[in-house]
Amino acid sequence: MGKEGGEEDALPLFETNEARFVGAYKVLAFTVFVGICLIWVYRLTHMPRAGEQGRWAWIGMFMAELCFGLYWILTQSCRFKVVYHYPFKERLSYRYEKKLPNVDIFVCTADPWMEPPTLVINTILSVISYNYPPEKLSVYLSDDGGSELTFYALIEASNFSKHWIPFCKKFNIKPRSPGAYFAQQIDVPNITYAQEWLAMKNLYEEMENRISSAVKMGTIPKETRDQHKGFSEWNSKVTKEDHQSIVQIIINGVDKNAMDIDGQQLPTLVYMAREKRPQCPHNFKAGAMNALIRVSSKISNAPIILNLDCDMYANDVDTIREILCFFMDKKRGHEISFVQFPQQYNNITKNDIYAGSYSVTNNVELAGIGGYGAALYCGTGCFHRRESLWGKVYSKDYRGELNPEAKKNTDKTVNELEELSKVLANCSAEKDTQWGKNMGMIYGCPVEDIVTGLTIQCRGWKSLYYNPDRKAFLGVGPTTLDTVLLQHKRWSEGMFQIFFSKYCPFIYGQGKIKFGAQMGYCIYLLWAPISFPTLYYVIVPSLYLLHGISLFPQVKSIWFLPFAYVFVARNVGSIAEALSCGVTLKAWWNWQRMWVIQRTTSFFFGFIDTISRQLGLSETTFVLTTKVGTEDVLKRYRQEVIEFGSPTIMLTIIATLALLNLFSLIGEIRKIVLDFEFKVLDQLIMQVILELLLVLINIPVYQGLFIRNDEGRIPSSVLFKSIVLASLACLIPII
Ligand SMILES: O=c1ccn([C@@H]2O[C@H](COP(=O)(O)OP(=O)(O)O[C@H]3O[C@H](CO)[C@@H](O)[C@H](O)[C@H]3O)[C@@H](O)[C@H]2O)c(=O)[nH]1
Ligand SMILES: [Mn+2]
C-alpha cells in the first residue's frame, strides 16, 4: 500500500457541507424583519389617545407583536447556519477495523404498563444485533419500574438473541427490532430464507405470547423462575418506589460460553434497577442514567455510550460505525462530546395529525444549531463520549483516543461484578458527590437532556447533529391529544425552568458557546412564555370584532402592507420549508392547528407550573408518555381523527377559544348580511380574516363538539362548560 495507504490515512472520516439557498433565505428574512419593524412603528404611531376606546387593547396588540417579532428573530440564527455531515464508514473500516472501541448502550424504562416489556425488548434486540463486533458491545437496561416482568422479558430476549443475531447477520436484515421487521412486507429471495424467516417469526411470536401472558397474569412461568437466580431479588416487599438495588448480568460477554447458535460470542447484557427509597429523591431519568454510567464503568467501561429511550429501536445496522467516523476523525474528532440523532417516530400518519414528525425542527432548526457546534442533547438517540458525560473539562491537549483495550473486568466473576455494581446503584452512592451537578446528567429539571448538553458544551466540548437519510432510531409517538399536550407541557416547563435558572444560555453560556447557539437554545426555552401573546391574539381581536372595534389598519391604508407582507412571506416561507422537508400541505395545516393548541394550553400551563415551582409551591415531576393505546384509539389515530378524550382543563380551554372565535365570526357575518354594513368590512377586514383562519383551523374541534359521537369526541361536560365560558366572554364590556 505504501504511499497510497498514507494518503488514504490522511483523508478525513467525515465531511460537512452547508445547506443551499441560505443566501436567498437571508434576503427574505431581511425583508420580513423590515416588515416587522414597520408593524411596530405603526402600533406606536397610531395608538388611540388616552380616553379613546381600544387604547389598552392596542397596547396589548403592540406587546404581543413585539414578543412575536423578537421570538421570530430568535428563530433566525439557526436558519443561517444549517449544515449536514457525511461520514465515510468504509474509510473507518479500512483504517480501524481491528482497533474499534467498545460501545455501551443504555436503554431506560420506567413502567411495565405504560412501556410494555415487549416494546422494551424489541429495542434491546435491535441494538444487541448491531453490525459491530459483539465482544465490543454491552447493552444495559435500566428499569425504574423495578419490575420482575421486565426482568423476565429480558431473560426471554437473551435466549431469543442467540437465534436472532445469527439470523440478522446471515441475511443482513433491516431493521433488527423483530417486531418492526416482521411487521413489514418483505420479498423472499430464496427458499432457505423463507424457511428460516418463518421459523424465526414463530420463535418470536411464541416469546411474545409468553411475555404478554406473564404480564396479563402478573406471574412468571415457574421453569424460567427456577432457571435464573435473579428472581430471588423480588420478594413481597419490593415495590416500584421502594426496593434495594438489583443488578443482574444476564449475558456475560467475556465468558467464552456465552455463544449464539452459530458459536459466535454474544454481547454483554445487563439488567439494573437502582435502589429506590421513598425518602431519597430518585431524579427520574437523569438518576437512572447516572446509575448506569457508574454501574457500566465497573462492568464494561466503554469509551462511547449510546443512550436510548425504551421505545426507540435502532432502524439502521451501521449507526455505530457512522458515529465513530465523527469521534475518530483525526482533525475534529477529539473535540466532539456527543452526536445527537433526531427523535423520530415510526407511527406518524400521512398528514401528521399531532405534528409529531418535527420535520422542520429536525431538518432545519436542530441542524442549524448544530452548525454552531452546539447540537442539543435530546435525551434519546445520542452517542456520548464517556469522559465528557462523566464531567471532564475539554482541554487543548486532549487527544481523544478511544482506547480499544479499555479495561474489561475479565478477572472478576459475575457475582463479584454484580455485588460491586449494586453498591454503585444505591442511593448512598451519590451522597456528597458531584453527581447531578458537575458529573453525569444534571438533576432538578424535567428536561434533563437539554440542560446536560448545555453544561457539556460549556465545559468546552463540541457536539454534532446527524440526520442520516435512513432513520437511525424510531420511537412511538403519542396517539392522543392528551398525551401530546402533557408531553409538551413537561418540555415547555422544563425548558422555561432552564431559562430562569443559572443555566440560562445567555448567562451560563456567555463566551462559551456561540451567540447563534445561545439564540437557538432559546427557541425552545421560551416556548412557555410565548403562550401569552398567542392567547392574546386568539382572544382579544375576536372580542373587539364582536363590538365592531378595529385593531388593525384599513385595507386602503399604506400600513396594511407590512401586515400583509409579513403574513404572506412568513407563511409562504414556512410552507416552502415544510414542503422541502417532504411533508404534505395538509400536514403543514395540521401543524398550524397544533401550534395554536399547544401554545394556548401546554405552554401556558408549563409557564404557570414553572412559576409555581420558582415560588416553591410545587415540585419537579415527570409524567411518562404513554406508549400503548386501545385498538379503538389506534384506529381513530390511523384515520387521522383527533382523540380529544377525557374532560381536562386544557380541553375546556381549547373548546372555549374555538367557540369564541366562531361566535365572533358569526356575529360579524350576521351584521354584514343582515344590516348591509359593508363599509365596516373595510375597517375590520384583517380581524375578520384572522377569525376566519382560526375558525378554519378549529374545524376538527367543532366536529368534536357537535358532530362526532365516538369515544374520542369532546365530552359533553366540556361542551357545556365551554359554551358558558365563551358566551360570558362575549358579554365582557370592552374598554
Ligand atoms: O423516572 C423515570 C422517568 C422516565 N424514564 C425514562 O425516560 C424515557 C423518556 O420518557 P418518555 O415518557 O418517553 O418521555 P418523552 O417525552 O418521550 O422523552 C423525551 O423527553 C425527555 C425529557 O423530558 C427525555 O428524557 C427523553 O429522553 C426524550 O426522549 C423513557 O425511556 C422512560 O422510561 C426513566 O427511566 N425514569
Ligand atoms: Mn418517549
Side-chain angles (χ1 to χ4, degrees):
M1 255 172 275
K3 191 167 165 258
E4 240 178 73
E7 273 171 20
E8 166 68 20
D9 271 356
L11 292 174
L13 286 180
F14 74 101
E15 123 190 329
T16 302
N17 296 333
E18 289 216 8
R20 290 179 300 161
F21 308 123
V22 172
Y25 180 79
K26 283 184 180 167
V27 174
L28 176 76
F30 179 73
T31 60
V32 173
F33 176 69
V34 171
I36 291 174
C37 292
L38 289 175
I39 292 176
W40 292 340
V41 170
Y42 168 75
R43 286 286 174 213
L44 286 174
T45 51
H46 290 69
M47 192 180 301
R49 271 183 291 278
E52 265 183 319
Q53 212 178 23
R55 179 175 162 87
W56 288 107
W58 190 276
I59 294 174
M61 292 299 279
F62 172 59
M63 302 295 276
E65 283 153 3
L66 192 64
C67 294
F68 285 144
L70 293 175
Y71 187 77
W72 175 85
I73 293 173
L74 274 187
T75 61
Q76 296 310 298
S77 71
C78 60
R79 288 178 164 74
F80 293 176
K81 195 77 188 146
V82 178
V83 296
Y84 302 110
H85 306 288
Y86 301 94
F88 303 113
K89 56 186 184 213
E90 289 74 26
R91 288 185 193 163
L92 178 92
S93 303
Y94 177 81
R95 227 174 281 171
Y96 295 116
E97 189 61 38
K98 291 275 165 320
K99 291 185 267 177
L100 293 175
N102 294 337
V103 175
D104 284 351
I105 300 177
F106 297 172
V107 177
C108 295
T109 184
D111 186 293
W113 312 110
M114 289 172 88
E115 302 176 331
T118 349
L119 177 84
V120 178
I121 61 160
N122 264 293
T123 301
I124 299 280
L125 287 164
S126 73
V127 292
I128 211 169
S129 51
Y130 260 134
N131 176 17
Y132 201 70
E135 67 280 7
K136 299 193 169 184
L137 214 55
S138 306
V139 180
Y140 294 80
L141 176 67
S142 152
D143 179 17
D144 268 352
S147 163
E148 197 177 24
L149 296 166
T150 308
F151 178 64
Y152 162 66
L154 198 62
I155 291 182
E156 285 281 1
S158 76
N159 294 331
F160 179 71
S161 72
K162 294 178 187 158
H163 303 265
W164 180 242
I165 299 176
F167 173 76
C168 289
K169 297 204 168 154
K170 184 167 175 192
F171 300 107
N172 193 20
I173 65 152
K174 282 179 187 178
R176 293 186 180 180
S177 141
Y181 173 69
F182 290 119
Q184 73 190 2
Q185 298 281 344
I186 44 159
D187 325 315
V188 180
N190 59 50
I191 187 82
T192 347
Y193 179 72
Q195 281 167 346
E196 292 200 29
W197 181 88
L198 197 63
M200 194 55 62
K201 187 161 186 275
N202 287 336
L203 210 58
Y204 172 67
E205 281 169 358
E206 281 162 26
M207 170 180 74
E208 210 183 9
N209 288 339
R210 281 196 300 275
I211 297 175
S212 350
S213 63
V215 170
K216 213 181 281 157
M217 323 230 294
T219 54
I220 283 128
K222 186 162 179 322
E223 54 291 13
T224 319
R225 187 186 284 280
D226 293 343
Q227 261 166 26
H228 207 284
K229 64 173 182 20
F231 287 103
S232 62
E233 297 274 359
W234 278 269
N235 53 42
S236 55
K237 289 210 201 88
V238 170
T239 64
K240 182 175 174 180
E241 287 81 25
D242 196 1
H243 61 80
Q244 78 288 7
S245 299
I246 304 172
V247 178
Q248 290 291 320
I249 302 180
I250 296 179
I251 305 175
N252 182 15
V254 289
D255 178 358
K256 289 282 167 268
N257 298 322
M259 304 233 192
D260 65 27
I261 53 161
D262 279 357
Q264 297 292 317
Q265 187 137 23
L266 284 168
T268 296
L269 181 64
V270 180
Y271 172 91
M272 178 198 88
R274 62 197 165 115
E275 182 184 19
K276 286 243 195 111
R277 299 294 174 203
Q279 69 277 14
C280 147
H282 61 76
N283 297 303
F284 314 101
K285 184 180 162 198
M289 283 290 290
N290 286 348
L292 280 171
I293 297 174
R294 292 193 298 271
V295 164
S296 63
S297 75
K298 280 285 169 262
I299 299 172
S300 49
N301 200 28
I304 297 289
I305 292 172
L306 164 62
N307 162 213
L308 287 179
D309 288 353
C310 61
D311 57 324
M312 280 249 147
Y313 65 84
N315 186 48
D316 193 356
V317 297
D318 276 335
T319 304
I320 300 187
R321 288 169 185 272
E322 294 196 337
I323 59 98
L324 286 178
C325 293
F326 304 129
F327 283 115
M328 295 178 85
D329 181 67
K330 279 223 175 74
K331 203 159 147 229
R332 293 152 72 190
H334 62 286
E335 310 170 329
I336 299 172
S337 153
F338 60 87
V339 178
Q340 174 70 56
F341 287 78
Q343 173 153 359
Q344 285 160 323
Y345 302 132
N346 69 342
N347 58 338
I348 297 297
T349 52
K350 178 162 169 260
N351 299 310
D352 195 7
I353 185 87
Y354 295 125
S357 70
Y358 306 107
S359 297
V360 169
T361 312
N362 288 339
N363 289 319
V364 182
E365 292 180 354
L366 294 180
I369 305 173
Y372 292 102
L376 309 189
Y377 168 33
C378 301
T380 176
C382 188
F383 285 86
H384 284 271
R385 192 183 282 277
R386 180 184 287 265
E387 288 178 306
S388 57
L389 190 55
W390 192 282
K392 189 183 174 78
V393 177
Y394 176 78
S395 82
K396 285 232 150 39
D397 320 319
Y398 178 72
R399 297 287 313 284
E401 306 243 308
L402 301 174
N403 185 5
E405 308 304 329
K407 81 162 193 284
K408 270 209 171 185
N409 279 295
T410 35
D411 52 331
K412 296 202 175 63
T413 65
V414 163
N415 272 338
E416 285 169 336
L417 285 176
E418 286 175 353
E419 290 311 314
L420 268 175
S421 314
K422 274 184 195 170
V423 181
L424 298 175
N426 282 347
C427 296
S428 58
E430 299 195 338
K431 216 164 154 213
D432 304 323
T433 65
Q434 288 297 311
W435 285 104
K437 293 179 209 133
N438 295 314
M439 284 169 84
M441 308 280 293
I442 308 291
Y443 291 157
C445 178
V447 289
E448 74 299 325
D449 40 6
I450 302 286
V451 67
T452 302
L454 178 68
T455 57
I456 294 176
Q457 288 152 4
C458 291
R459 289 199 291 265
W461 298 93
K462 293 226 159 59
S463 58
L464 194 135
Y465 175 77
Y466 179 46
N467 183 4
D469 289 339
R470 182 175 172 97
K471 293 173 179 160
F473 303 101
L474 286 172
V476 181
T479 50
T480 69
L481 185 63
D482 244 10
T483 324
V484 182
L485 295 184
L486 275 178
Q487 186 186 44
H488 280 78
K489 176 176 162 279
R490 159 154 48 79
W491 287 348
S492 65
E493 176 187 345
M495 292 195 281
F496 191 45
Q497 194 184 322
I498 300 175
F499 186 81
F500 246 119
S501 70
K502 68 168 184 184
Y503 296 114
C504 175
F506 282 115
I507 299 166
Y508 191 78
Q510 192 54 36
K512 295 183 180 136
I513 58 172
K514 300 228 169 79
F515 182 60
Q518 291 173 313
M519 284 172 72
Y521 264 101
C522 290
I523 300 177
Y524 309 102
L525 302 198
L526 293 178
W527 268 1
I530 203 71
S531 60
F532 285 93
T534 312
L535 276 166
Y536 191 89
Y537 236 75
V538 171
I539 297 171
V540 175
S542 73
L543 288 182
Y544 277 71
L545 180 64
L546 265 177
H547 293 79
I549 299 170
S550 167
L551 292 175
F552 291 95
Q554 297 178 18
V555 185
K556 280 180 275 183
S557 155
I558 185 94
W559 293 103
F560 179 77
L561 289 177
F563 281 93
Y565 179 72
V566 169
F567 177 80
V568 172
R570 280 279 289 114
N571 286 301
V572 170
S574 149
I575 291 175
E577 211 170 50
L579 295 181
S580 77
C581 295
V583 303
T584 61
L585 203 57
K586 187 147 182 225
W588 178 84
W589 181 244
N590 287 336
W591 293 354
Q592 308 310 303
R593 178 178 321 108
M594 285 310 292
W595 185 91
V596 174
I597 290 182
Q598 283 165 349
R599 285 181 174 208
T600 49
T601 58
S602 304
F603 296 0
F604 175 65
F605 285 101
F607 184 93
I608 307 269
D609 279 11
T610 311
I611 300 299
S612 80
R613 191 174 7 258
Q614 295 289 329
L615 299 175
L617 299 176
S618 64
E619 282 185 0
T620 305
T621 53
F622 191 114
V623 184
L624 269 192
T625 309
T626 317
K627 295 164 183 82
V628 275
T630 63
E631 209 23 67
D632 217 24
V633 169
L634 290 181
K635 191 169 154 223
R636 282 192 286 274
Y637 176 67
R638 282 191 289 267
Q639 293 168 341
E640 306 201 309
V641 173
I642 298 185
E643 186 74 20
F644 291 104
S646 43
T648 57
I649 305 187
M650 291 208 210
L651 194 53
T652 313
I653 295 183
I654 296 170
T656 308
L657 294 177
L659 286 179
L660 180 63
N661 296 141
L662 186 66
F663 291 168
S664 83
L665 187 71
I666 293 177
E668 187 56 28
I669 293 178
R670 198 190 59 94
K671 256 189 241 161
I672 296 169
V673 176
L674 294 185
D675 311 341
F676 296 105
E677 280 195 43
F678 288 108
K679 64 176 188 311
V680 184
L681 202 56
D682 178 38
Q683 299 230 329
L684 291 170
I685 187 79
M686 283 191 60
Q687 249 150 300
V688 174
I689 292 176
L690 179 66
E691 293 318 307
L692 186 64
L693 286 173
L694 284 169
V695 167
L696 289 177
I697 257 186
N698 278 321
I699 288 176
V701 180
Y702 307 127
Q703 287 170 337
L705 281 169
F706 303 115
I707 299 175
R708 282 168 56 185
N709 50 16
D710 55 87
E711 287 292 307
R713 72 175 188 279
I714 300 181
S716 43
S717 62
V718 173
L719 170 67
F720 176 72
K721 270 189 251 173
S722 54
I723 290 183
V724 172
L725 287 172
S727 315
L728 284 177
C730 294
L731 299 176
I732 297 177
I734 294 293
I735 45 167

